[in-house]
């Protein structure tokens, strides 16, 4: 922990943003401790399993620490989560909780680990399940028009990442595919 905090202090001193990978609740908690101790800005990559207390703690950080989540992993990791952590499935891919707490949220694909398919990722974030399947913890679904806190660049987008894909606020509808057809819904931003 001391080494991570020191590295974040160095990043902050150099004017860099740090991207730290943390998938499970213990790792996310440790990363949040390091961000809090250092005052560094950046992102928590993946943030797939997050303790509800850490969502509140994250939102209270005075600096910008983005939740950078790859929703398509929800489709891949659901059965493993139910098997290994059945008592924690309600804290996986907590997209709605991030947004409700005011935590900036970016969504990406994690390619090449998962397909570079923005429509699959968007459908997973909106419907929390495969196109023909049931929603997994629908209380964490987000709507296509739901926005996170405005990014520091000043641009407004409903779905944003710096590198992988973006469906901007100027987009009035999405092309055919999982995001449009899942459960007969529409992917038109509100």
């Amino acid at each position: 922990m001391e080494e991570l905090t020191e590295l974040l202090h160095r990043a902050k001193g150099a004017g860099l943003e740090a991207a730290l990978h943390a998938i499970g609740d213990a790792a996310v908690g440790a990363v949040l401790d390091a961000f809090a101790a250092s005052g560094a800005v950046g992102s928590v990559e993946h943030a797939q399993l997050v303790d509800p207390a850490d969502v509140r703690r994250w939102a209270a950080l005075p600096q910008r620490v983005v939740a950078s989540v790859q929703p398509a992993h929800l489709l891949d990791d659901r059965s493993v989560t139910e098997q290994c952590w059945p008592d924690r499935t309600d804290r996986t891919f907590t997209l709605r909780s991030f947004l409700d707490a005011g935590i900036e949220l970016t969504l990406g694909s994690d390619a090449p680990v998962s397909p570079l398919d923005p429509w699959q990722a968007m459908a997973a974030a909106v419907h929390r399940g495969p196109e023909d399947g049931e929603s997994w913890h629908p209380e964490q679904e987000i709507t296509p028009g739901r926005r996170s806190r405005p990014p520091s660049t000043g641009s407004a987008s409903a779905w944003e990442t710096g590198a992988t894909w973006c469906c901007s606020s100027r987009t009035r509808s999405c092309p055919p595919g999982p995001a449009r057809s899942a459960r007969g819904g529409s992917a038109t931003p509100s």
Side-chain angles (χ1 to χ4, degrees):
M1 180 64 185
E2 287 181 31
E3 182 180 3
L4 180 57
T5 302
E6 176 55 31
L7 289 170
L8 286 177
H9 276 294
R10 289 175 52 195
K12 180 181 178 184
L16 300 173
E17 291 192 8
L20 302 181
H21 287 240
I23 294 175
D25 49 4
V28 171
V31 163
L32 291 177
D33 288 342
F35 272 116
S38 68
V41 296
S43 63
V44 178
E45 299 295 321
H46 301 297
Q48 290 181 204
L49 182 67
V50 182
D51 188 303
D54 281 335
V55 172
R56 293 185 295 277
R57 198 163 63 99
W58 192 333
L61 289 173
Q63 76 270 33
R64 179 177 175 259
V65 179
V66 177
S68 177
V69 182
Q70 298 71 35
H73 286 314
L74 179 147
L75 304 173
D76 303 331
D77 296 346
R78 178 178 179 169
S79 62
V80 171
T81 303
E82 288 175 338
Q83 181 180 8
C84 296
W85 304 281
D87 59 327
R88 300 186 206 172
T89 63
D90 62 329
R91 56 172 85 169
T92 57
F93 296 90
T94 56
L95 307 180
R96 167 72 62 185
S97 293
F98 289 145
L99 291 176
D100 288 349
I103 298 167
E104 186 175 332
L105 174 65
T106 62
L107 305 176
S109 70
D110 202 26
V113 175
S114 62
L116 180 57
D117 182 350
W119 309 115
Q120 179 190 41
M122 203 176 336
V126 171
H127 301 295
R128 296 188 58 86
E131 184 173 348
D132 58 348
E134 290 185 28
S135 177
W136 189 44
H137 290 285
E139 70 277 7
Q140 291 296 335
E141 291 177 351
I142 60 174
T143 61
R146 179 73 189 262
R147 297 179 194 276
S148 67
R149 192 177 336 165
S152 60
T153 61
S155 63
S157 62
W159 306 94
E160 173 189 310
T161 72
T164 308
W165 55 276
C166 176
C167 180
S168 80
S169 60
R170 293 188 191 117
T171 303
R172 301 318 310 158
S173 64
C174 298
R180 175 181 292 280
S181 61
R183 294 191 212 10
S186 171
T188 304
S190 56

